[in-house]
Amino acid sequence: MAKTEKLLVCCGTGCIANGAYDVADALEAEIKSRGLDVNVELKVERTGCSGECEAGPIVRLMPRDTMYYKVKPKDAADIIDSLEGEAVQRLLYREGKGKDAKYFEHMQDNPFYAKQHKIVLKDVGVIDPLSLDAYKAVGGYEGLEKALKMTPDEIITEVEKSGLRGKGGAGFPTGRKWRTAAGYDNFPKYIVCNGDEGDPGAFMDGSTMEGSPHAVIEGMIIGALAIGAETGVLYIRDEYALARDHIQHAIDDAYKAGILGDSIMGTDHKLDLSIVRGGGAFVCGESTALMNSIEGKVGEPRPKYIRSVQSGLFEQPTVLNNVESLASIPTILRLGGDEYAKVGTEKSKGTKVFAMVGKVKHTGLVEVPMGTTLRTLIYDIGGGIIGDRPFKAIQTGGPSGGCIPEDLLDLPVDFDTLKEYGAMMGSGGMIVMDDRSCMVEVARYYIDFLCEESCGKCTPCREGLRQMRAILTDICEGRGKEGDIELLERLGHTLEDASLCALGRTAPNPVLTTIKFFRDEYEAHIKEHRCPAGVCAALTSFKIDADKCTGCGLCSRSCPTDAISGEKKEAHVIDTSKCIACGSCREACNFDAIMTEGR
């Protein structure tokens, strides 16, 4: 048998959906059929997310570091054969097609991984998340061991030197938050992990909890030591069943190993951790709404004149950090704050994890140094736009984020730069859009989401979002009128100034940035009754360019109303009386023969 000792099967949520468990079972069955011991001679390990989600299930052979993509159970025999021979070419990363195709065997040969710098995700996709021994083997709990020999002040000083800022979106200095909480003498104190990730298209925190649960727990223990807390709560999104299971498994193992409980690693320090399931509302990701939810109250924000570090959970001093911030802490303590601060920019230290989805070729989980440009993320790591279509915009920061246009692709991604342009980093969701995205409809979609998720406690957010949604709906459906754009801007600025919490204050971002950078699209909808992207059905009609149509029939087979007809290998036509302008034909056409017009 070759030097390979392990076959790492990505069993993150995305790969599981594509059959990763079946792949792992097939590999184990194949190993046993050859008379080998699956746990001794050749081990199959189910890991967390490997990152490149659209290429899953992914199998990584270690230590030779061969990576196979889009693996199916039927590939098991060929994979085991490759341990003593050539790699299975059809399963390797490939660039190009046909005779010009190039195949790359190792992880770092794949551009998706080559420019990443992993700190939070360093163990995700590498170790079995259900094994405490596996976590310890890669340096797990070394940071805690170091922290137990330090004073609270020394721990906080290291975090301050690291420059770590809250990665849930606010970007508040973590060390400053910890020092403030440590300064209060009110007990008990609490440390809380915010795992209520609710942004559409975001899965960074969920993947981290699934793939490296002990890193989050270790970060919480270190934080508890720093502020003097003996109780901690992980508030985890209700839909994240796998993440909750893995966190609970890790908590149970930590208690058994003496890492949690009344004597942390044999010392006088104690900490108890428990999980609370999220309330199922986007607003519960807001700090005070989250604490209300933990207490069994309605998940709505509290006034901010008293900070949570002074009076938070059960009106006691509380530190709330998100998953990514806490998972960074073990590395900071293990290597030192100065070493961590070498990565990133002057004001935004370390790395940031992003979930990159949408019209990008390689979707998935990405971790890069702060200050990496949008262009690097989209083109160097993401591989560019699907079908090599023109890039149009990227939505950063989730539903409350902003849309950044093509001429700003060289902006560095950090807390302060994005804010200057009306966007924000948020928790790390990124949605890439091509030229077939309507920016007015994008704004309407996000405002509709936020309108439904608003708790309704404050009038500016509750009523302002409803009015913005009504105006945007009118524009998309052909009822827009002069003055609507200016009214949207006034409403947006009112929400920014007068809303109670960050949900309302940031909610106008998708509207204000799309007006700022794509005002011509709003004007086309209102003045010309035309949707330039061909998305808004009330303002769009489709027809087929006879010169480009090859008569392949893909468009007619995709049409849900049988509005397209034509003979094979001859130009097809669309019956406009039947067409509902759904765009299915345009998505199906490989020859760019479907054209749009205003109605």
Side-chain angles (χ1 to χ4, degrees):
M1 185 58 60
K3 292 182 180 179
T4 300
E5 298 172 0
K6 296 179 182 179
L7 290 84
L8 308 180
V9 181
C10 172
C11 288
T13 297
C15 284
I16 290 171
N18 284 324
Y21 285 158
D22 292 337
V23 170
D25 290 344
L27 287 169
E28 289 180 338
E30 183 64 28
I31 292 168
K32 290 177 181 177
S33 73
R34 301 185 185 211
L36 301 174
D37 190 317
V38 76
N39 291 312
V40 177
E41 296 174 83
L42 193 56
K43 185 174 179 61
V44 176
E45 287 193 359
R46 292 160 173 80
T47 72
C49 177
S50 293
E52 196 171 2
C53 301
E54 56 86 26
I58 295 174
V59 176
R60 186 178 181 186
L61 313 184
M62 295 299 288
R64 62 192 286 177
D65 203 17
T66 297
M67 289 195 77
Y68 291 133
Y69 305 87
K70 296 185 178 180
V71 179
K72 300 183 184 305
K74 65 181 181 181
D75 298 318
D78 288 342
I79 290 174
I80 302 304
D81 287 341
S82 74
L83 299 179
E84 295 183 328
E86 296 293 322
V88 185
Q89 189 179 75
R90 71 176 185 278
L91 300 176
L92 297 176
Y93 172 75
R94 183 186 69 195
E95 285 186 349
K97 296 181 180 179
K99 295 180 180 178
D100 296 327
K102 294 181 179 179
Y103 295 86
F104 302 96
E105 181 174 348
H106 304 295
M107 181 179 185
Q108 287 305 313
D109 295 333
N110 184 341
F112 181 85
Y113 298 104
K115 292 194 174 182
Q116 294 194 45
H117 184 111
K118 296 190 177 184
I119 294 176
V120 174
L121 302 178
K122 69 182 182 66
D123 303 324
V124 179
V126 177
I127 64 171
D128 178 356
L130 299 182
S131 171
L132 173 58
D133 289 339
Y135 180 65
K136 285 185 172 181
V138 292
Y141 290 110
E142 289 180 6
L144 174 59
E145 290 176 354
K146 192 173 177 181
L148 287 167
K149 300 173 185 176
M150 302 165 67
T151 65
D153 179 76
E154 289 172 336
I155 295 172
I156 294 170
T157 297
E158 285 302 314
V159 176
E160 288 174 331
K161 287 195 295 184
S162 75
L164 178 67
R165 295 171 64 176
K167 296 183 181 180
F172 191 83
T174 304
R176 189 191 306 174
K177 180 185 288 189
W178 286 16
R179 188 169 293 283
T180 303
Y184 291 106
D185 293 328
N186 302 346
F187 294 93
K189 296 181 181 180
Y190 298 96
I191 186 162
V192 180
C193 171
N194 184 351
D196 193 50
E197 184 175 50
D199 295 3
F203 49 92
M204 304 78 58
D205 292 347
S207 296
T208 303
M209 289 186 287
E210 289 173 10
S212 189
H214 281 285
V216 182
I217 291 169
E218 184 178 4
M220 290 190 74
I221 301 173
I222 294 169
L225 294 174
I227 69 169
E230 295 184 351
T231 304
V233 178
L234 295 104
Y235 187 84
I236 302 176
R237 182 177 176 179
D238 190 48
E239 295 87 348
Y240 280 174
L242 186 63
R244 286 200 313 275
D245 289 348
H246 285 194
I247 288 285
Q248 187 61 61
H249 191 284
I251 289 174
D252 293 343
D253 282 353
Y255 271 110
K256 292 174 185 175
I259 295 170
L260 285 172
D262 293 334
S263 178
I264 298 173
M265 292 186 168
T267 68
D268 293 334
H269 298 287
K270 60 177 66 176
L271 180 67
D272 288 309
L273 290 184
S274 61
I275 295 172
V276 171
R277 294 172 65 162
F282 179 71
V283 73
C284 285
E286 193 275 338
S287 60
T288 57
L290 181 152
M291 292 180 200
N292 273 342
S293 181
I294 292 174
E295 294 174 12
K297 301 173 183 176
V298 174
E300 60 183 21
R302 304 170 183 171
K304 298 296 192 298
Y305 52 84
I306 298 179
R307 310 302 295 182
S308 297
V309 288
Q310 178 184 355
S311 180
L313 189 61
F314 302 112
E315 300 183 359
Q316 293 297 122
T318 303
V319 160
L320 173 70
N321 294 123
N322 90 315
V323 169
E324 189 178 342
S325 300
L326 290 167
S328 303
I329 294 296
T331 296
I332 291 171
L333 266 292
R334 186 165 55 87
L335 300 181
D338 290 333
E339 189 67 24
Y340 181 88
K342 291 178 181 178
V343 181
T345 67
E346 182 180 352
K347 295 182 178 180
S348 297
K349 301 294 186 182
T351 60
K352 183 73 186 80
V353 180
F354 296 102
M356 192 160 53
V357 299
K359 298 294 185 178
V360 65
K361 291 179 181 177
H362 303 297
T363 59
L365 202 62
V366 175
E367 184 174 4
V368 293
M370 291 278 197
T372 300
T373 66
L374 291 168
R375 188 181 302 278
T376 296
L377 281 160
I378 296 167
Y379 285 93
D380 294 346
I381 296 174
I385 308 302
I386 293 172
D388 295 322
R389 297 199 66 83
F391 167 85
K392 190 170 194 177
I394 181 169
Q395 170 86 0
T396 65
S400 297
C403 294
I404 303 296
E406 183 180 19
D407 59 355
L408 296 178
L409 274 177
D410 292 312
L411 281 182
V413 179
D414 58 52
F415 290 107
D416 304 309
T417 302
L418 289 178
K419 190 174 182 180
E420 286 178 22
Y421 289 87
M424 65 181 192
M425 183 146 44
S427 59
M430 285 188 166
I431 300 177
V432 180
M433 292 168 268
D434 65 12
D435 60 326
R436 289 179 175 176
S437 298
C438 171
M439 304 314 295
V440 185
E441 167 57 26
V442 166
R444 188 211 61 78
Y445 169 81
Y446 283 117
I447 293 300
D448 182 58
F449 174 85
L450 292 165
C451 191
E452 295 300 320
E453 294 296 336
S454 171
C455 73
K457 184 173 184 176
C458 72
T459 302
C461 181
R462 182 184 67 245
E463 299 301 328
L465 285 173
R466 289 177 183 175
Q467 292 302 314
M468 294 181 87
R469 178 173 64 178
I471 295 167
L472 289 164
T473 300
D474 282 348
I475 294 173
C476 290
E477 294 181 357
R479 298 186 298 273
K481 56 186 182 296
E482 292 286 345
D484 280 353
I485 299 174
E486 291 74 18
L487 181 54
L488 284 169
E489 290 177 315
R490 289 200 300 274
L491 283 167
H493 293 313
T494 299
L495 262 71
E496 287 179 325
D497 294 337
S499 294
L500 175 63
C501 80
L503 186 152
R505 291 194 298 271
T506 60
N509 283 342
V511 178
L512 297 178
T513 54
T514 52
I515 290 175
K516 179 179 181 180
F517 297 121
F518 302 96
R519 193 183 189 95
D520 57 327
E521 288 200 31
Y522 281 84
E523 292 175 345
H525 281 68
I526 295 170
K527 297 178 180 179
E528 303 171 28
H529 295 283
R530 177 177 65 89
C531 175
V535 172
C536 299
L539 302 175
T540 304
S541 63
F542 288 86
K543 75 174 190 177
I544 296 175
D545 186 336
D547 293 332
K548 292 183 177 180
C549 180
T550 64
C552 68
L554 284 175
C555 59
S556 62
R557 291 194 291 274
S558 70
C559 180
T561 60
D562 296 322
I564 302 176
S565 60
E567 298 296 323
K568 190 175 182 179
K569 296 187 178 180
E570 293 183 6
H572 285 39
V573 293
I574 298 176
D575 183 344
T576 55
S577 66
K578 293 182 179 180
C579 179
I580 58 172
C582 66
S584 296
C585 57
R586 186 171 65 167
E587 292 298 319
C589 181
N590 293 322
F591 304 98
D592 207 21
I594 310 296
M595 301 185 300
T596 62
E597 299 177 328
R599 290 200 171 186

